[in-house]
């Protein structure tokens, strides 16, 4: 159960946060709490002894929660150094096992995978694979609200928040609307430029950072069909929505389509690109020192897939997701939406949303923002009805408080505010 016994952040956490704010060049912390490593299921303790309920899952990267016994037992086996190898050049057994596991949960014909370090690098390599044979390519195509990572190639595809792109040199890209007219706009681009000028089309089949939006069936089917008919590579970015979060292993499966290439990371614990062998460039075309070499990360990825299957977590996520959505609707939130345990709703403004997330945090519930005024609700797959009820009760109370006229947060927490602007 949630147990908050200090102000948030507590004194010990505040000291670390002050230091990080001063010294961490990437500082954009949306939650002023510091983890202690103690935790169980979807609950964790901070270093001040407060117990929080996590409905953000480390931005969808912690699907099995805290201190899962099977994962802890696995970690204990890796008690000799190094645990990290230069995996593309010096092979370890976990590399093949994870690739095989990943292919085993991918659509037929997607028989080859490449492992890398992060989500952005997975997207970066998906881009390289898709574009490799496109000699006349001039630009890429992505959609309104897209978020694909912070490396420059992936960043070129962004249409979420302008501040993410500002100040950088980017690759040429064209944006499609995020609605049923996307297919017509793509046809127009083809008419004006020629299909061969388009390097690839990329889509999140449940948009993450840009607003937790689900593309319509028509939008996805049209884009996929037009790409097929015109020989344009179609990439699915599954970094946030993949690995079972939506109740299927991959969010594109909800649309009955198959991409040419897809990226994964976060819940998989390593970055990965999956496609048919024919898409991959010749040896040396793609690589990275540590890709496929972090033995613990790969072992955790393998075990995560095994546990999702063994404990029937896809089905469990669908059932718990429906229960969660009903509860959110009952509270009266607007635009409640979701698939499986990838859920969201809107508040009236960005300010109200940020205030709401902070109020929930003060009351021990961790949530994240997305888009302009959405709240994402993405608990670990290990939750049950008890945790959902507890989270809903906190949300209901916090909503009442922040809806009062003139509501404003006070105290140390205000030094670290920035909810929903983390951008990942
Ligand atoms: C859809 C999507 N693609 C790519 C990324 C980048 O992943 P990473 O932060 O691991 O580089 C993210 C991160 O949130 C994401 O949501």
């Amino acid at each position: 159960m949630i147990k908050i016994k200090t102000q948030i952040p507590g004194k010990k956490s505040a000291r670390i946060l002050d230091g990080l704010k001063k010294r961490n060049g990437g500082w954009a912390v949306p939650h002023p709490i510091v983890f202690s490593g103690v935790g169980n299921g979807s609950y964790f303790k901070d270093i001040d002894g407060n117990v929080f309920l996590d409905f953000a899952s480390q931005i969808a990267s912690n699907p099995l929660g805290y201190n899962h016994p099977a994962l802890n037992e696995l970690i204990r086996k890796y008690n000799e150094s190094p645990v990290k190898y230069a995996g593309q050049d010096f092979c370890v057994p976990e590399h093949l096992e994870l690739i095989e596991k990943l292919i085993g949960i991918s659509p037929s014909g997607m028989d080859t995978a490449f492992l890398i370090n992060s989500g952005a690098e997975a997207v970066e390599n998906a881009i390289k694979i898709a574009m490799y044979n496109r000699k006349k390519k001039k630009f890429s195509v992505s959609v309104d609200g897209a978020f694909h990572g912070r490396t420059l190639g992936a960043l070129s595809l962004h249409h979420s928040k302008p501040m993410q792109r500002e100040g950088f040199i980017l690759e040429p890209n064209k944006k499609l609307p995020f609605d049923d007219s996307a297919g017509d706009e793509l046809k127009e681009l083809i008419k004006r430029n020629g299909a061969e000028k388009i390097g690839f089309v990329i889509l999140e089949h449940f948009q993450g950072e840009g607003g937790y939006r689900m593309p319509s069936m028509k939008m996805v089917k049209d884009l996929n069909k037009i790409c097929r008919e015109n020989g344009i590579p179609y990439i699915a970015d599954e970094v946030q929505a993949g690995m079972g979060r939506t109740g299927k292993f991959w969010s594109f499966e909800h649309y009955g389509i198959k991409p040419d290439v897809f990226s994964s990371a976060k819940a998989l614990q390593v970055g990965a690109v999956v496609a048919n062998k024919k898409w991959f460039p010749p040896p040396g075309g793609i690589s990275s020192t540590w890709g496929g070499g972090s033995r613990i990360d790969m072992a955790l990825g393998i075990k995560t897939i095994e546990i999702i299957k063994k404990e029937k977590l896809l089905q469990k996520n669908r059932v718990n997701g429906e229960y969660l959505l009903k509860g959110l609707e009952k509270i009266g939130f607007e635009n409640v939406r979701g698939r499986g345990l990838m859920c969201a709703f809107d508040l009236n403004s960005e300010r109200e949303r940020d205030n709401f997330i902070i109020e929930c945090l003060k009351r021990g519930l961790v949530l994240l923002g997305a888009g302009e005024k959405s709240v994402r609700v993405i608990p670990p797959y290990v939750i049950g009805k008890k945790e959902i009820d507890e989270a809903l009760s906190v949300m209901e109370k916090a909503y009442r408080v922040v809806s009062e006229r003139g509501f404003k947060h006070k105290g140390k927490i205000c030094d670290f505010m920035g909810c929903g602007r983390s951008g990942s």
Side-chain angles (χ1 to χ4, degrees):
M1 265 188 45
I2 292 172
K3 204 164 162 196
I4 300 298
K5 50 184 208 182
T6 71
Q7 280 205 337
I8 305 299
K11 280 207 176 96
K12 288 184 193 162
S13 299
R15 201 177 56 77
I16 306 242
L17 291 160
D18 279 330
L20 282 171
K21 189 174 176 186
K22 199 164 157 194
R23 304 281 181 212
N24 174 9
W27 173 265
V29 172
H31 295 108
I33 39 180
V34 180
F35 291 80
S36 68
V38 178
N40 187 14
S42 41
Y43 296 92
F44 69 88
K45 231 182 211 177
D46 75 355
I47 57 171
D48 291 282
N50 299 299
V51 179
F52 293 86
L53 176 55
D54 184 357
F55 269 44
S57 297
Q58 306 285 321
I59 329 177
S61 71
N62 180 22
L64 301 181
Y66 298 89
N67 292 308
H68 191 292
L71 298 187
N72 280 8
E73 192 191 322
L74 185 84
I75 291 168
R76 276 195 290 274
K77 283 193 193 147
Y78 287 88
N79 59 0
E80 279 167 2
S81 64
V83 286
K84 236 168 147 162
Y85 285 73
Q88 298 294 344
D89 301 273
F90 300 94
C91 304
V92 292
E94 292 86 349
H95 195 162
L96 177 62
E97 201 183 335
L98 180 56
I99 284 181
E100 285 178 344
K101 277 267 160 13
L102 195 52
I103 291 167
I105 56 169
S106 301
S108 67
M110 301 189 88
D111 59 7
T112 308
F114 170 72
L115 303 184
I116 194 81
N117 308 294
S118 68
E121 286 172 278
V123 170
E124 207 70 44
N125 283 283
I127 295 172
K128 285 177 73 176
I129 288 164
M131 282 202 304
Y132 184 71
N133 280 316
R134 310 275 299 157
K135 300 274 181 287
K136 295 188 178 161
K137 65 203 170 260
K138 287 271 186 268
F139 57 89
S140 62
V141 173
S142 53
V143 302
D144 181 53
F147 182 98
H148 297 287
R150 305 289 189 148
T151 50
L152 292 177
L155 190 66
S156 308
L157 314 169
H158 275 209
H159 300 288
S160 48
K161 296 188 186 101
M163 50 77 85
Q164 291 161 352
R165 292 166 53 110
E166 260 164 33
F168 301 111
I169 297 172
L170 301 172
E171 297 287 323
N173 168 270
K174 295 200 192 295
K175 175 175 80 168
L176 298 177
F178 193 91
D179 59 31
D180 283 358
S181 67
D184 289 340
E185 294 273 330
L186 179 59
K187 277 190 196 154
E188 198 50 40
L189 279 181
I190 293 171
K191 206 160 103 191
R192 263 187 273 128
N193 302 279
E196 70 284 3
K197 298 284 167 33
I198 300 177
F200 59 89
V201 170
I202 185 165
L203 187 67
E204 296 156 271
H205 292 74
F206 194 130
Q207 191 171 81
E209 163 68 16
Y212 265 52
R213 296 187 288 173
M214 284 171 275
S216 70
M217 189 59 84
K218 176 172 166 47
M219 175 175 162
V220 172
K221 291 262 190 213
D222 282 359
L223 292 181
N224 190 253
K225 182 162 176 269
I226 296 163
C227 284
R228 288 213 174 286
E229 286 171 356
N230 291 277
I232 300 168
Y234 184 97
I235 306 176
D237 182 355
E238 292 286 335
V239 169
Q240 186 155 166
M243 281 293 287
R245 177 148 291 281
T246 64
K248 291 189 186 278
F249 263 111
W250 311 113
S251 64
F252 60 75
E253 292 179 271
H254 293 280
Y255 296 88
I257 60 121
K258 184 168 120 181
D260 295 307
V261 182
F262 77 86
S263 57
S264 176
K266 287 193 189 273
L268 183 65
Q269 307 302 304
V270 297
V273 191
V274 184
N276 184 275
K277 181 84 177 165
K278 72 174 185 215
W279 286 94
F280 287 82
I286 53 172
S287 193
S288 160
T289 303
W290 279 338
S294 173
R295 296 185 72 192
I296 289 191
D297 289 348
M298 289 188 296
L300 289 172
I302 294 162
K303 197 48 126 192
T304 300
I305 295 174
E306 282 172 2
I307 292 173
I308 291 174
K309 284 178 159 180
K310 190 167 152 226
E311 297 183 7
K312 301 197 178 1
L313 296 183
L314 299 183
Q315 198 187 341
K316 186 174 172 228
N317 285 357
R318 289 198 286 271
V319 173
N320 281 330
E322 274 168 33
Y323 184 73
L324 174 59
L325 286 178
K326 275 197 195 114
L328 294 171
E329 270 162 11
K330 213 165 139 202
I331 294 176
F333 292 126
E334 278 188 20
N335 198 10
V336 173
R337 58 205 184 266
R339 277 198 180 114
L341 286 182
M342 189 153 185
C343 303
F345 57 87
D346 290 347
L347 290 178
N348 289 318
S349 63
E350 183 178 6
R351 188 187 151 82
E352 189 181 66
R353 186 271 311 278
D354 290 355
N355 278 341
F356 173 78
I357 289 174
I358 292 168
E359 187 60 29
C360 286
L361 186 71
K362 282 174 162 176
R363 292 165 180 268
L365 176 68
V366 183
L367 293 167
L368 275 167
E372 196 195 321
K373 54 180 185 175
S374 301
V375 177
R376 47 184 139 174
V377 189
I378 45 174
Y381 307 170
V382 293
I383 54 150
K385 288 209 164 72
K386 184 177 81 60
E387 287 87 352
I388 296 177
D389 287 340
E390 192 177 9
L392 288 169
S393 151
V394 173
M395 284 191 254
E396 188 167 21
K397 286 181 197 131
Y399 185 39
R400 226 180 294 137
V401 170
V402 301
S403 307
E404 280 165 21
R405 267 187 74 210
F407 174 84
K408 220 172 160 195
H409 284 290
K410 293 194 197 94
K412 183 74 181 165
I413 203 162
C414 298
D415 290 0
F416 307 108
M417 277 173 72
C419 301
R421 294 184 209 121
S422 68
S424 49

